[in-house]
Amino acid sequence: MRARTTAMALMLSCAATVADGSSGCGTFATHVTYGTGDCPSSVAIDDLNGDGNRDLAVTNRHSNTVSILLNRGDGTFTIHVTYDVGNEPLSVAAEDLDDDDDVDLAVANFHSSHVSILLNRGDGTFEAQVTLDVGVCPSSVVIGDLDGDADTDLAVANYYSNTVSILLNHGNGTFTPHVTWGGGGDCPWSIAMGDIDGDGACDLATTNSWSCCDTVSVLLNGGCANFPEHLTYEAPLNPLSVAIADLDGDGDADLAVARQFGGSSVLVFLNRGDGTFAAPVTFGPGSGAFSLAIEDLDGDGDRDLAVAEQDGGISILLNEGDATFAQPTTWCVGMFPVSVAIEDLDGDGDRDLAVACSDSDSVSILLNQCPSVCPGDLDDDSDIDQNDLGILLACYEIDDGGDVDSDGDTDENDLGILLAHYGTTCD
């Protein structure tokens, strides 16, 4: 997939698709690139060293490593530090796996047919990998509580064995042997987790790709991490990435799928409310989508789409509020972007982008250009002071009354943002 010459030629046309001086919520500053290992394949964002800032973990497909880039607090990053994982890592997920309040990593290693677990020492450095057997050629891994015991479990898409592996957490970052479930389609490439049928249990969705069957499968959790039921939907022209979120504001979890070919490369499947889906609706951009992520990018409360395209661009599709999307705007990044993740990277309260670019051996950072806000001014008096801190602490881990970063929770990330701006007066 490393067609460097072709990617460079296509990338030259990307710059012309973005108007100079674009600004406002959901528009982005010129990308800044940071080196990674050889052929980065996936990027995850979380606070890895406990300082309240969002850091990066990037899998490097050809150097068989994961790179850690620590955030300096302003959306700039340190030089990457690498850790060995398995052969051809394709996917990384970040979450606390051993219940020590540090963020750990799980990595799917395609040619090793196992998952690497890297436990955090608490400071953003990691223990040597522990490997767990899964199916043949795992291509994607997600983390969440699948059996309802409050521990974080693993779900892995196994490309060549046409299965999904479930590994249940013992509560300390060690796992049961994997149990496999048929995914409903051949060659599952991407996997996502969310409550699709509204029963409170985490369900799964996979894309079944690379000309094997061109479908999306939904695996409904029957309780205790059992997946006896699956539904399959047509998703033609090589679907490579799936994400789950409420796109039309009705409280149900919908699907967005990026496909590599076809005139419009995003398919949106709206949930009927019972875990089944209406026929997909297509939206731009053009062909060549490899990855997508969902978040509110323009601050209007609706979930928008960021799509990584093989021509060196990231397309932003802003939600009109009803799961219809405006015409895409495209922002240049490095060569051959294959993975995109969304989080607030510079602590200003809006969502930024991190993009793994395989042919430039780098990750691109695009900072959102929302107008200056006053992150942490919870009482709207233009000062960030003890009154705001009191509001946040009263809501801490209870409700969203102190939700500075607009992720639906009042937690340590909100506290970190408020304290970083404590004592300031807003313009």
Side-chain angles (χ1 to χ4, degrees):
M1 294 185 187
R2 293 170 62 84
R4 293 182 183 269
T5 302
T6 301
M8 177 63 81
L10 289 169
M11 185 178 165
L12 293 175
S13 65
C14 170
T17 66
V18 184
D20 292 338
S22 296
S23 62
C25 278
T27 65
F28 296 86
T30 301
H31 72 104
V32 177
T33 61
Y34 297 87
T36 61
D38 189 7
C39 195
S41 52
S42 176
V43 59
I45 305 174
D46 213 318
D47 180 8
L48 299 178
N49 61 350
D51 65 354
N53 303 312
R54 306 298 175 88
D55 310 303
L56 307 180
V58 182
T59 51
N60 303 304
R61 180 176 183 177
H62 288 173
S63 50
N64 300 328
T65 58
V66 60
S67 291
I68 304 301
L69 296 88
L70 298 179
N71 194 330
R72 297 188 177 98
D74 58 358
T76 66
F77 293 85
T78 60
I79 295 173
H80 72 112
V81 175
T82 60
Y83 296 85
D84 291 335
V85 290
N87 190 4
E88 196 168 351
L90 289 186
S91 174
V92 60
E95 190 56 81
D96 182 10
L97 296 174
D98 55 358
D99 197 29
D100 64 354
D101 295 325
D102 302 317
V103 176
D104 310 302
L105 303 178
V107 176
N109 303 301
F110 190 73
H111 280 310
S112 299
S113 293
H114 63 228
V115 169
S116 296
I117 302 298
L118 292 88
L119 296 180
N120 197 328
R121 297 188 180 106
D123 58 358
T125 65
F126 293 84
E127 302 289 351
Q129 65 170 327
V130 175
T131 61
L132 306 172
D133 290 336
V134 291
V136 181
C137 294
S139 53
S140 183
V141 58
V142 289
I143 302 175
D145 182 10
L146 292 170
D147 56 359
D149 65 354
D151 301 321
T152 46
D153 310 305
L154 307 180
V156 182
N158 302 307
Y159 180 73
Y160 274 128
S161 52
N162 303 326
T163 58
V164 170
S165 288
I166 303 299
L167 299 90
L168 298 181
N169 197 331
H170 291 300
N172 59 358
T174 65
F175 294 83
T176 60
H178 74 112
V179 175
T180 59
W181 298 89
D186 294 337
C187 307
W189 183 255
S190 171
I191 191 167
M193 185 184 299
D195 183 7
I196 290 173
D197 56 0
D199 64 355
C202 287
D203 308 303
L204 303 172
T206 67
T207 57
N208 308 303
S209 311
W210 297 111
S211 301
C212 288
C213 57
D214 283 354
T215 59
V216 173
S217 294
V218 174
L219 291 79
L220 298 178
N221 193 336
C224 298
N226 292 298
F227 296 88
E229 181 182 359
H230 65 259
L231 304 170
T232 301
Y233 299 88
E234 295 296 322
L237 303 175
N238 208 29
L240 293 181
S241 178
V242 59
I244 302 173
D246 180 11
L247 296 174
D248 56 0
D250 64 355
D252 303 318
D254 309 304
L255 306 180
V257 175
R259 62 181 181 178
Q260 187 179 17
F261 306 117
S264 298
S265 60
V266 174
L267 305 175
V268 171
F269 296 80
L270 295 183
N271 198 326
R272 297 188 178 103
D274 59 358
T276 66
F277 292 87
V281 178
T282 61
F283 296 94
S287 63
F290 262 68
S291 172
L292 61 73
I294 304 175
E295 255 301 350
D296 180 10
L297 295 173
D298 58 357
D300 64 355
D302 304 318
R303 303 294 182 88
D304 309 304
L305 305 179
V307 183
E309 302 175 62
Q310 67 187 27
D311 65 355
I314 292 292
S315 286
I316 303 301
L317 289 80
L318 298 179
N319 196 334
E320 304 287 1
D322 57 357
T324 62
F325 293 85
Q327 287 296 310
T329 55
T330 303
W331 305 86
C332 288
V333 290
M335 294 170 59
F336 213 128
V338 293
S339 178
V340 58
I342 305 174
E343 260 299 354
D344 180 9
L345 296 174
D346 55 0
D348 64 355
D350 55 35
R351 300 311 204 284
D352 310 303
L353 307 179
V355 184
C357 301
S358 66
D359 279 7
S360 52
D361 296 337
S362 65
V363 61
S364 290
I365 302 301
L366 296 93
L367 298 180
N368 202 326
Q369 298 299 286
C370 280
S372 178
V373 292
C374 205
D377 182 23
L378 298 174
D379 58 4
D380 296 322
D381 68 351
S382 298
D383 294 308
I384 302 174
D385 53 23
Q386 61 186 1
N387 295 325
D388 303 298
L389 182 59
I391 293 170
L392 188 148
L393 294 176
C395 300
Y396 195 82
E397 295 185 346
I398 297 174
D399 58 40
D400 63 357
D403 183 19
V404 177
D405 61 3
S406 301
D407 68 352
D409 299 305
T410 302
D411 55 21
E412 67 274 8
N413 294 318
D414 304 298
L415 181 60
I417 294 171
L418 188 149
L419 292 177
H421 295 85
Y422 192 85
T424 61
T425 298
C426 303
D427 296 333

